[in-house]
Amino acid sequence: MAQNTRTTPAGTPTNVTQNHTKGGIGESTLRPDGTLKVTGEFAYSSDMWHEDMLWGQTLRSTVAHALIENIDISEAVAMPGVYAVLTYDDLPAKMKNYGLEIQDTPVLANGRVRHHGEPVALVAADHPETARRAAAKIKIDYKELPLVTDEASALAPDAPLIHEGRDDHHSGHVPHPNIVHRQPIIRGNVAEARKRADVIVEGEYTFGMQDQAFLGPESGLAVPAEDGGVDLYVATQWLHSDLQQIAPVLGLPPEKVRMTLSGVGGAFGGREDISMQIHACLLALRTGKPVKIVYNRFESFFGHVHRHPAKLYYEHGATKDGKITHMKCKIVLDGGAYASASPAVVGNASSLSVGPYVIDDVDIEAIALYSNNPPCGAMRGFGAVQACFAYEAQMDKLAAKLGMDPVEFRQLNAMEQGTIMPTGQVVDSPAPVAELLRRVKARPLPPEQQWLAAGEEADVRALPGGLSNTTHGEGVVRGIGYAVGIKNVGFSEGFDDYSTARVRLEVINGEPVAMVHTAMAEVGQGGVTVHAQIARTELGVTQVTIHPADTQVGSAGSTSASRQTYMTGGAVKNTCEAVRAKALELGRRKFGSYHPAWATAELLLEGGKVVTDGGEVLADLADVLEGEAIDEELEFRHRPTQAFDLVTGQGNGHVQYTFAAHRAVVEVDTELGLVKVVELATAQDVGKALNMLSVVGQIQGGTTQGLGVAVMEEIIVDPKTAKVRNPSFTDYLIPTILDTPTIPVDVLELADPNAPYGLRGLGEAPTLSSTPAVLAAIRAATGLELNKTPVRPEHLTGT
């Protein structure tokens, strides 16, 4: 792996606590779960077990759009070992739908299925194979209905309505019931600006549907309780959001649905929505026994939402000296059968569709459709990923038409701090777009023809096609491409985004110990590491315990939108500050009369001691806390945001922006259409790196996912049947270590004064620009336009 570099400008953000306790912020402390995970000893949700446990199984629709004329469960019920078979008519509460924003998703199909793989019935049995066989014995008579599969069929005058009689907070402003949400953004005068353009380029781009492809399938264990409630242990991204959706359809008050996070094997947005949670609870409450549900890989492809496929139509103009005059675009996202996070994805796609560039005159429209395709929702970088693919292709087209270097053209038009976004929002923190591009371009290129060994014999492992031994270098051409992207951080558009932390400070076995308790879902991002670092920094203790995440503490929000370090980290920081203040006040009362510095000096907790700003030790923290425990629970909110105007799109919709740039170096076998990505160099501003090891890991992971989007990942949906054709890792390909290139990382730390420690959310941004950088490099190698992801061999060879 190439060496990573780090640049921190002089000066420290004023809200960074100066503390030298070992293992604090800024250090690359190791993950507490790291060794267990790499040795296979970590307990994931699928590993849970309970005495007298039953197994749950979901029966899913085999067609994409149909009326359910009859369900016969008699054979399934009669099978030995079967304890329960449930259909829609068995649901216990008046509320039978759920959803992240719009409650349009039925717990079980109600007389109609709207997509391939929709849950229709549930089985609980004493063995997983018995449950599977029983589900297969349920007979369902379907009467198939006309399909809605694309924009034309969704918006036709006689189009079937996916949700008849819609009545939600978006239905009143959309021009057609099959549009989930529409967001225009109008700023300036595109018609007038167009007259100033010396060149105009247009493009139509197609972005394929991706799966989050987390390695740990959906799973959980529901245990009925003596009080009539249920305890649910589950892998999820947002415990409290799940709770708000689960309790009403169980007919239980929220306090009787107790949720605890179990080991999560990756998420990337795919666990924001409900999957097996309600089903397991229903079966547990019906049978009076613990019920475990674990999806296999095939079912996982149907059990969660995917990334929205998109059609994007762009027009840009520029003057002959390279200044962009205007931008006009339409973005059409396919949301599938149910809303999920589609409204928020529309908001991101529209508000970030210009990219990190200064364009005063824009005409933007983004919509999400209902269709009979698989439901789509959150996936890493949602909305912004699709837009970045298109606008970066447009930047290369403009640069080529003007005869300019593509990096210099981008730098000429790059936004910076103080730029006004198309929504009217002023970017009030560092926006080093031009500098990020400069850094990736200045990095030395990897040597050419690396596949040639000393004896001039080809090492096929380094060639396109790799160990398949398809070429020895004939027809292999190198290409280099660049891209840069902008992503929002945190929940936007007026959402009440907050997080909660409880911190307890006490003495155990003579040593001060802090316990941090949040509901944050640790999905691999490293929050459990960072929370301990924050507590060590703010409380000056070395021993920090992270309490398991559950709903016995206030909400931490979702582990998504690059928000957890900002939001829950901010909550931990604020709560620790309150605990520290109480500890110092306790010390003043106990020992203040013995030393005037207690009253006159700035006091800190460091290394388990109370010290002055000059480093003088006043007392041991253990002595201060003797016989006492300090316990605080506080919420943290970022500054408020606004909903975008539904006519003009104006509004301060986002709390923070984050930026990343990539340079891709690829080698393409132009005869066989095979691509080898040699290097994906990246530069990113992270504001403040709380743990550099985790920062680099997040950037490299996001970069690799963007590579998958570029050249291999797509869920194929048959346009005639709306059925998924490749629901397996045999046919849905994701990058492995053999596909992952060298990823050198250049980290900038330009503090955001509005954020805790000056940090900037970082996990999603590298997923944006890595995809268009790879596409740009392949275009440079082949001369082809390539306006679709992923690029396949037939796109390069014309076969």
Side-chain angles (χ1 to χ4, degrees):
M1 189 66 66
Q3 182 178 3
N4 302 312
T5 58
R6 175 180 188 175
T7 301
T8 305
T12 302
T14 57
N15 60 351
V16 173
T17 302
Q18 298 303 302
N19 184 295
H20 301 96
T21 299
K22 182 176 175 57
I25 62 168
E27 295 187 33
S28 288
T29 61
L30 298 179
R31 295 179 57 104
D33 55 358
T35 300
L36 294 174
K37 286 181 174 177
V38 299
T39 58
E41 298 174 87
F42 183 79
Y44 290 99
S45 58
S46 56
D47 296 316
M48 290 186 295
W49 195 267
H50 197 289
E51 289 292 324
D52 201 25
M53 181 178 73
L54 302 179
W55 295 80
Q57 179 71 42
T58 306
L59 179 68
R60 298 178 179 275
S61 66
T62 57
V63 294
H65 196 201
L67 297 176
I68 300 174
E69 297 195 315
N70 185 57
I71 302 179
D72 182 357
I73 65 172
S74 57
E75 288 189 43
V77 172
M79 280 188 63
V82 172
Y83 280 72
V85 178
L86 303 181
T87 65
Y88 178 87
D89 293 335
D90 299 304
L91 299 181
K94 182 178 179 181
M95 183 67 175
K96 293 176 169 58
N97 284 13
Y98 65 90
L100 282 175
E101 183 178 338
I102 300 172
Q103 286 71 50
D104 61 357
T105 309
V107 173
L108 294 170
N110 177 22
R112 179 182 174 190
V113 296
R114 294 178 173 86
H115 70 91
H116 180 209
E118 181 163 351
V120 179
L122 306 173
V123 175
D126 58 7
H127 190 279
E129 186 62 18
T130 301
R132 188 191 68 79
R133 290 177 179 174
K137 287 184 176 294
I138 298 173
K139 296 181 174 62
I140 303 177
D141 296 327
Y142 292 110
K143 180 181 178 181
E144 294 197 49
L145 298 171
L147 292 171
V148 171
T149 59
D150 55 18
E151 183 182 10
S153 58
L155 303 184
D158 59 347
L161 299 184
I162 303 301
H163 294 277
E164 297 175 354
R166 276 184 66 189
D167 184 20
D168 58 69
H169 57 289
H170 293 295
S171 58
H173 70 261
V174 294
H176 192 285
N178 282 343
I179 296 177
V180 184
H181 177 45
R182 175 181 180 269
Q183 182 62 66
I185 298 178
I186 308 296
R187 188 170 179 84
N189 189 320
V190 166
E192 288 299 314
R194 200 175 194 275
K195 297 175 183 177
R196 301 194 301 271
D198 295 309
V199 298
I200 291 175
V201 298
E202 297 177 328
E204 178 179 330
Y205 303 93
T206 302
F207 197 98
M209 181 189 297
Q210 282 90 47
D211 188 71
Q212 292 84 354
F214 39 73
L215 298 186
E218 292 85 345
S219 52
L221 176 68
V223 182
E226 292 181 356
D227 65 355
V230 64
D231 294 287
L232 178 62
Y233 304 86
V234 66
T236 182
Q237 288 181 245
W238 190 354
L239 287 166
H240 284 77
S241 175
D242 286 5
L243 175 62
Q244 291 170 3
Q245 297 173 77
I246 294 168
V249 299
L250 298 181
L252 294 174
E255 60 271 18
K256 286 196 174 184
V257 181
R258 294 164 291 269
M259 299 186 62
T260 301
L261 186 76
S262 56
V264 182
F268 314 114
R271 299 189 202 268
E272 280 198 43
D273 292 78
I274 295 291
S275 59
M276 49 60 62
Q277 290 94 317
I278 297 173
H279 297 163
C281 291
L282 287 169
L283 291 170
L285 291 170
R286 172 60 70 93
T287 63
K289 291 177 174 290
V291 173
K292 177 177 178 176
I293 295 180
V294 180
Y295 290 175
N296 60 27
R297 182 57 55 189
F298 175 86
E299 187 172 13
S300 181
F301 272 91
F302 298 100
H304 63 258
V305 298
H306 310 290
R307 190 191 296 282
H308 291 74
K311 290 279 191 180
L312 307 100
Y313 310 88
Y314 268 78
E315 177 189 295
H316 283 84
T319 61
K320 60 185 176 183
D321 59 356
K323 295 295 289 185
I324 299 175
T325 56
H326 72 281
M327 186 274 277
K328 185 174 183 179
C329 78
K330 180 179 180 180
I331 300 173
V332 180
L333 302 157
D334 186 346
Y338 298 107
S340 182
S342 286
V345 177
V346 167
N348 271 14
S350 59
S351 62
L352 302 175
S353 61
V354 166
Y357 304 107
V358 178
I359 309 178
D360 295 327
D361 299 274
V362 300
D363 183 347
I364 299 162
E365 179 188 26
I367 64 172
L369 302 173
Y370 279 122
S371 73
N372 294 121
N373 293 322
C376 291
M379 186 174 172
R380 195 173 194 167
F382 70 6
V385 168
Q386 294 92 326
C388 187
F389 166 63
Y391 64 65
E392 285 301 272
Q394 289 284 104
M395 294 303 103
D396 284 336
K397 285 184 179 181
L398 279 171
K401 201 160 188 177
L402 291 166
M404 295 183 65
D405 177 86
V407 172
E408 292 176 2
F409 175 76
R410 287 173 168 85
Q411 290 174 314
L412 178 65
N413 292 283
M415 64 185 295
E416 56 189 15
Q417 187 167 353
T419 292
I420 299 176
M421 294 292 288
T423 59
Q425 183 169 6
V426 177
V427 179
D428 61 356
S429 61
V433 179
E435 174 63 11
L436 295 174
L437 286 162
R438 185 194 69 78
R439 285 169 178 263
V440 293
K441 186 177 182 181
R443 182 176 287 276
L445 288 166
E448 294 202 41
Q449 295 188 332
Q450 295 185 81
W451 62 84
L452 289 180
E456 295 299 306
E457 293 183 3
D459 181 352
V460 296
R461 295 173 296 177
L463 280 163
L467 292 174
S468 58
N469 197 22
T470 53
T471 179
H472 285 205
E474 310 89 346
V476 175
V477 181
R478 171 169 284 199
I480 301 170
Y482 296 88
V484 62
I486 177 174
K487 177 68 177 66
N488 66 305
V489 171
F491 296 150
S492 306
E493 299 185 60
F495 187 89
D496 183 18
D497 192 6
Y498 73 95
S499 190
T500 315
R502 181 183 299 156
V503 176
R504 181 179 177 88
L505 183 63
E506 59 187 328
V507 176
I508 299 177
N509 296 327
E511 184 176 5
V513 176
M515 182 180 72
V516 178
H517 185 186
T518 77
M520 179 209 68
E522 173 57 58
V523 303
Q525 82 278 14
V528 291
T529 308
V530 168
H531 291 178
Q533 291 179 266
I534 292 172
R536 292 189 193 104
T537 297
E538 300 299 335
L539 298 177
V541 299
T542 56
Q543 295 298 317
V544 179
T545 299
I546 303 298
H547 191 286
D550 57 32
T551 52
Q552 305 309 301
V553 67
S555 177
S558 174
T559 301
S560 62
S562 302
R563 61 175 291 284
Q564 279 294 8
T565 303
Y566 191 126
M567 295 302 300
T568 307
V572 173
K573 179 178 186 292
N574 280 6
T575 309
C576 285
E577 288 172 349
V579 169
R580 183 179 70 217
K582 283 192 173 184
L584 292 174
E585 180 57 33
L586 184 62
R588 288 187 180 97
R589 292 201 305 268
K590 285 187 175 182
F591 304 111
S593 60
Y594 300 112
H595 198 303
W598 278 100
T600 60
E602 178 70 26
L603 302 183
L604 298 172
L605 303 181
E606 186 172 297
K609 301 181 183 299
V610 180
V611 300
T612 68
D613 51 2
E616 183 180 1
V617 177
L618 299 184
D620 286 337
L621 183 56
D623 293 336
V624 171
L625 295 171
E626 185 178 8
E628 303 273 356
I630 301 173
D631 206 328
E632 285 284 336
E633 181 175 332
L634 296 175
E635 292 179 352
F636 172 77
R637 283 172 166 79
H638 60 58
R639 53 186 177 163
T641 58
Q642 300 172 337
F644 297 126
D645 184 272
L646 292 174
V647 176
T648 66
Q650 299 303 289
N652 291 342
H654 299 304
V655 66
Q656 189 189 59
Y657 296 101
T658 183
F659 309 90
H662 280 86
R663 181 192 68 193
V665 179
V666 307
E667 289 172 348
V668 182
D669 186 321
T670 56
E671 297 173 0
L672 299 176
L674 300 175
V675 175
K676 171 76 172 180
V677 180
V678 176
E679 181 187 82
L680 265 171
T682 180
Q684 184 167 337
D685 173 24
V686 304
K688 168 66 178 177
L690 302 196
N691 185 313
M692 184 58 73
L693 187 64
S694 292
V695 164
V696 172
Q698 283 285 297
I699 293 172
Q700 291 178 331
T703 295
T704 304
Q705 282 192 303
L707 162 65
V709 173
V711 295
M712 58 183 67
E713 294 190 47
E714 184 178 16
I715 292 178
I716 305 297
V717 180
D718 189 321
K720 294 181 180 179
T721 64
K723 292 185 178 182
V724 177
R725 294 172 55 188
N726 58 333
S728 74
F729 282 170
T730 300
D731 302 305
Y732 183 90
L733 304 180
I734 59 175
T736 69
I737 191 64
L738 294 175
D739 305 297
T740 304
T742 301
I743 308 176
V745 178
D746 195 342
V747 175
L748 279 73
E749 296 182 85
L750 306 180
D752 179 348
N754 302 296
Y757 300 116
L759 66 85
R760 196 183 299 274
L762 65 93
E764 295 176 292
T767 311
L768 272 67
S769 48
S770 53
T771 298
V774 171
L775 266 291
I778 298 172
R779 292 187 195 106
T782 63
L784 300 172
E785 191 166 1
L786 301 177
N787 287 345
K788 182 185 185 304
T789 67
V791 173
R792 293 196 176 90
E794 59 266 31
H795 301 153
L796 303 179
T797 61
T799 58

